[in-house]
């Protein structure tokens, strides 16, 4: 997905997904935020699950959480505003500790990240001494700091298979762990409490019902879903991979098994495709709004702070992952 560089381009991007009477009001707020960004030397990161007005309207860099943090580390901006959830903003702070990192709403959390604490990881390491710990990037900075290496949904199996061990502690996503277990000979020890409140809602019956209704259908799911869902899909992968799969598919109908705004944002990229969705929405992602972004920037509030020791240890886990690719 490409960012919209001008306000006319923004309007064009938003027209497929925003009602006409709401569009003018949104455009006024977007113009205000763009002025603030320029005056304050701010780079705005927009996660794929943001609503289209935030995603296309004010974002300088768009994508998945780790890709955004990596890109932000390369910018010359003084301030990073992360439009996503809190653990993502923490990852940006880990990668750019010298920059001010803001989030529009400090209460934009994550059920998956909140399912495990650093103390939980220390307990698991005592129970499984010597077993390497892999953490999905969807976790807090404190949890990253307790682990050996991070992974994304796109490279999870590659990271696990790179380790010189027959056993791996894979945290915190239980469903992603199940999907990885199908791609490795290693014994995966998972954290059963860890699930995404959005992706755990999807079922195989959702896919079966869509296939019964639409012949010309490609089903793309996120590996935070259970294996019965990913197994019934044509492709399972990260949000950064979904656009490529749609582009390569000749199918007219697209069913995205992931957070609802992903489909809203891709409609502008593929206007001739018919997107089918059960529309499960993340309430935490939806806490980020244009009004809250304006308030955060104008008042320089909601700064994301991470302890220096956690930054050092968490960055090591992320960098080890980046070395693998």
């Amino acid at each position: 997905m490409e960012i919209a560089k001008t306000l006319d381009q923004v309007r064009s991007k938003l027209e497929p997904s925003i009602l006409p009477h709401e569009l003018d009001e949104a455009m006024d707020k977007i113009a205000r935020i763009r002025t603030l960004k320029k005056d304050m030397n701010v780079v705005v990161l927009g996660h794929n699950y943001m609503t289209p007005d935030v995603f296309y309207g004010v974002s300088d860099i768009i994508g998945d959480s780790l890709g955004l943090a990596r890109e932000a580390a390369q910018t010359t901006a003084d301030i990073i505003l992360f439009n996503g959830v809190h653990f993502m903003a923490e990852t940006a702070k880990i990668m750019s500790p010298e920059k001010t990192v803001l989030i529009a709403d400090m209460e934009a959390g994550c059920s998956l990240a909140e399912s495990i604490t650093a103390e939980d990881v220390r307990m698991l390491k005592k129970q499984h001494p010597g077993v390497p710990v892999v953490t999905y990037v969807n976790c807090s900075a404190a949890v990253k700091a307790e682990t050996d290496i991070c992974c994304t949904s796109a490279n999870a199996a590659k990271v696990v298979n790179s380790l010189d061990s027959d056993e791996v502690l894979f945290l915190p996503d239980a469903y992603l762990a199940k999907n990885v277990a199908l791609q490795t000979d290693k014994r995966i020890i998972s954290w059963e409490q860890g699930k995404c409140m959005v992706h755990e809602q999807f079922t195989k019956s959702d896919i079966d019902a869509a296939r019964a209704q639409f012949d010309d259908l490609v089903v793309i799911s996120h590996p935070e879903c259970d294996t019965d869902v990913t197994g019934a899909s044509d492709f399972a992968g990260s949000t950064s991979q979904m656009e490529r799969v749609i582009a390569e598919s000749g199918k007219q109908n697209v069913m995205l098994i992931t957070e609802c705004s992903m489909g809203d944002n891709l409609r502008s990229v593929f206007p001739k495709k018919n997107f089918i969705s059960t529309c499960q929405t993340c309430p935490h992602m939806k806490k980020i709004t244009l009004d809250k972004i304006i308030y955060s920037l104008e008042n320089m509030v909601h700064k994301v702070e991470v302890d220096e020791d956690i930054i050092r240890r968490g960055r090591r886990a992320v960098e080890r992952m980046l070395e693998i690719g």
Side-chain angles (χ1 to χ4, degrees):
M1 288 177 274
E2 296 181 355
I3 62 170
K5 296 182 180 179
T6 69
L7 288 175
D8 286 341
Q9 289 174 337
V10 170
R11 181 176 286 274
S12 177
K13 290 280 192 181
L14 297 185
E15 283 174 346
S17 54
I18 294 184
L19 294 173
H21 72 277
E22 296 176 336
L23 186 53
D24 289 339
E25 182 181 357
M27 291 303 301
D28 289 342
K29 295 175 183 178
I30 288 165
R32 185 174 172 186
I33 292 168
R34 287 186 163 218
T35 298
L36 287 168
K37 289 196 304 178
K38 183 178 179 180
D39 292 346
M40 299 170 64
N41 193 22
V42 177
V43 63
V44 176
L45 312 184
H47 188 265
N48 288 322
Y49 293 162
M50 290 291 100
T51 53
D53 55 347
V54 172
F55 187 75
Y56 286 120
V58 300
S59 301
D60 300 300
I61 306 170
I62 55 180
D64 59 19
S65 60
L66 186 64
L68 291 172
R70 292 176 66 181
E71 290 285 341
Q74 305 302 316
T75 74
T76 58
D78 297 317
I79 300 168
I80 296 170
L81 176 71
F82 205 121
N83 289 329
V85 293
H86 193 267
F87 78 81
M88 298 178 183
E90 282 191 330
T91 306
K93 185 66 176 180
I94 287 173
M95 300 302 289
S96 303
E98 76 287 355
K99 298 182 186 297
T100 298
V101 177
L102 303 176
I103 186 169
D105 190 327
M106 292 293 281
E107 298 302 315
C110 170
S111 59
L112 185 56
E114 291 163 8
S115 74
I116 193 167
T117 65
E119 183 178 353
D120 292 327
V121 181
R122 290 191 290 268
M123 174 195 70
L124 289 167
K125 288 195 289 187
K126 287 181 180 179
Q127 292 175 353
H128 305 277
V131 176
V133 182
V134 176
T135 50
Y136 184 32
V137 291
N138 294 32
C139 64
S140 69
V143 166
K144 288 181 177 71
E146 294 294 333
T147 62
D148 296 297
I149 186 169
C150 290
C151 73
T152 68
S153 55
N155 70 4
K158 187 176 181 180
V159 168
V160 166
N161 286 324
S162 74
L163 300 173
D164 185 19
S165 174
D166 294 332
E167 294 182 311
V168 174
L169 270 164
F170 190 96
L171 313 170
D173 193 318
Y175 287 159
L176 181 57
K178 288 175 68 174
N179 281 291
V180 169
L182 299 175
Q183 304 172 64
T184 183
D185 293 329
K186 299 180 187 297
R187 175 174 175 250
I188 301 296
I189 304 167
S190 62
W191 178 250
E192 290 306 307
Q193 294 94 315
K195 295 180 178 68
C196 168
M197 66 187 298
V198 173
H199 290 103
E200 71 174 339
Q201 299 299 318
F202 295 105
T203 66
K204 182 178 179 295
S205 62
D206 295 327
I207 298 174
D208 293 339
R211 290 200 190 278
Q213 186 175 358
F214 301 96
D215 293 330
D216 191 31
L217 177 69
V218 59
V219 180
I220 305 169
S221 62
H222 196 284
E224 289 179 20
C225 297
D226 204 350
T227 49
D228 62 340
V229 174
T230 57
S233 304
D234 299 299
F235 176 83
S238 68
T239 58
S240 60
Q241 295 171 315
M242 290 180 178
E243 182 178 354
R244 172 183 58 79
V245 174
I246 296 170
E248 293 175 354
S249 172
K251 301 294 181 69
Q252 178 63 31
N253 300 308
V254 179
M255 185 178 194
L256 290 180
I257 309 293
T258 191
E259 211 277 344
C260 195
S261 286
M262 187 74 192
D264 292 337
N265 292 325
L266 282 170
R267 282 186 178 90
S268 296
V269 182
F270 301 102
K272 295 182 179 180
K273 297 283 188 179
N274 178 34
F275 283 85
I276 300 153
S277 174
T278 56
C279 205
Q280 301 292 349
T281 300
C282 176
H284 297 291
M285 290 285 185
K286 298 306 177 276
K287 290 180 185 290
I288 307 301
T289 66
L290 295 175
D291 286 327
K292 290 179 181 179
I293 292 168
I294 291 169
Y295 183 81
S296 177
L297 289 176
E298 288 187 339
N299 297 280
M300 281 298 291
V301 294
H302 309 318
K303 294 182 182 179
V304 176
E305 304 289 354
V306 181
D307 180 82
E308 289 185 7
D309 181 60
I310 289 177
I311 287 177
R312 177 183 58 81
R313 292 187 290 132
R315 186 183 182 102
R316 182 178 59 194
V318 173
E319 288 178 341
R320 285 174 176 169
M321 177 196 70
L322 297 179
E323 290 171 3
I324 292 173

